[in-house]
Amino acid sequence: QVQLQESGPGLVKPSETLSLTCTVSGGSVSSGSYYWSWIRQPPGKGLQWIGYMYYSGSTNYNPSLKSRVTISIDTSKNQFSLKLSSVTAADTAMYYCVRGYFTKWFDPWGQGTLVTVSS
Amino acid sequence: NFMLTQPHSVSESPGKTVTISCTRSSGSIASNYVQWYRQRPGSSPTIVIYEDNQRPSGVPGRFSGSIDSSSNSASLTISGLKTEDEADYYCQSYDSSDHFVFGTGTKVTVL
């Protein structure tokens, strides 16, 4: 059974870059059957899709975040990563890494990691 | 891009049926699959319906999904309501550029 686990700093200063890693166990990020996504949820609010990457290297980002987002994959470590630059308090959220199916649904989700943007 | 609007909250007694709507602001609801996720307090979302009306293994038959083109909306119906169904529910779809959109979320309260 595939499991995903986020890791990274829980506190990031304004204007800096948020960096998170998702470790995949029980499956391979090199599988051609899925894509690997990040989704976030500000405290008390709804879900926002950030973007995804396919193992081949193709990416797709939320247009509202595209200028600040980079998603990458490290097949040797079976991990994928998120970088979000120039963060502000509005980027404070629970960040989830998620596996995506080609028929456009997400499962499973990692447990999430809370990132707070504050000086 | 489009929006998916859900009622803020619904409530019903145990054993009853609740239906949550998800209305697409532009474009046809039928043109792209709709998914539904349940998020219990303090937990990650989990899929309960995919591809409009398909149930993953492990999700009870009390959960069903449907699409109504006349109202340009999708619906999640939970029958035989149980206290364990109390959670936030989100619909999700996408556009022709593979940009994903989540609904505004609905809090289900079991009275």
Side-chain angles (χ1 to χ4, degrees):
Chain A
Q1 184 175 346
V2 172
Q3 293 185 312
L4 290 76
Q5 178 68 59
E6 305 87 351
S7 59
L11 181 64
V12 181
K13 289 182 168 54
S15 80
E16 295 189 344
T17 295
L18 177 160
S19 295
L20 297 175
T21 296
C22 181
T23 300
V24 179
S25 58
S28 173
V29 296
S30 299
S31 169
S33 300
Y34 311 104
Y35 49 85
W36 306 94
S37 279
W38 289 94
I39 293 168
R40 71 180 184 178
Q41 184 174 34
K45 296 188 177 181
L47 301 164
Q48 182 184 36
W49 171 72
I50 297 171
Y52 71 67
M53 185 170 196
Y54 190 50
Y55 84 102
S56 64
S58 63
T59 56
N60 195 2
Y61 300 134
N62 187 318
S64 68
L65 300 170
K66 185 176 182 178
S67 63
R68 300 192 292 129
V69 174
T70 303
I71 296 176
S72 59
I73 282 183
D74 186 337
T75 55
S76 67
K77 295 182 179 179
N78 214 33
Q79 296 175 333
F80 62 105
S81 299
L82 168 70
K83 290 189 184 301
L84 181 66
S85 63
S86 305
V87 297
T88 69
D91 296 308
T92 293
M94 184 73 80
Y95 285 77
Y96 297 99
C97 60
V98 196
R99 184 180 67 175
Y101 285 73
F102 284 123
T103 46
K104 320 301 185 189
W105 51 288
F106 300 107
D107 180 70
W109 297 55
Q111 69 181 29
T113 187
L114 179 62
V115 178
T116 301
V117 179
S118 174
S119 55
Chain B
N1 214 341
F2 64 91
M3 296 186 299
L4 295 171
T5 301
Q6 302 177 231
H8 182 69
S9 62
V10 296
S11 57
E12 191 50 272
S13 303
K16 300 293 189 180
T17 296
V18 294
T19 297
I20 303 167
S21 61
C22 170
T23 302
R24 180 165 170 159
S25 62
S26 61
S28 172
I29 191 73
S31 61
N32 306 102
Y33 285 131
V34 176
Q35 279 66 239
W36 290 91
Y37 301 86
R38 174 179 61 198
Q39 185 176 31
R40 292 183 169 128
S43 297
S44 306
T46 59
I47 187 82
V48 292
I49 293 289
Y50 66 97
E51 295 176 17
D52 296 342
N53 54 21
Q54 302 299 303
R55 270 181 296 107
S57 59
V59 174
R62 302 185 295 106
F63 289 79
S64 62
S66 63
I67 298 292
D68 181 0
S69 295
S70 64
S71 60
N72 212 36
S73 64
S75 293
L76 173 69
T77 298
I78 311 172
S79 59
L81 205 58
K82 299 185 176 184
T83 55
E84 67 201 45
D85 298 329
E86 198 159 276
D88 293 327
Y89 291 81
Y90 294 91
C91 58
Q92 171 254 308
S93 191
Y94 51 97
D95 64 17
S96 57
S97 299
D98 251 19
H99 296 154
F100 294 86
V101 177
F102 286 92
T104 51
T106 299
K107 181 178 181 60
V108 171
T109 301
V110 183
L111 300 171

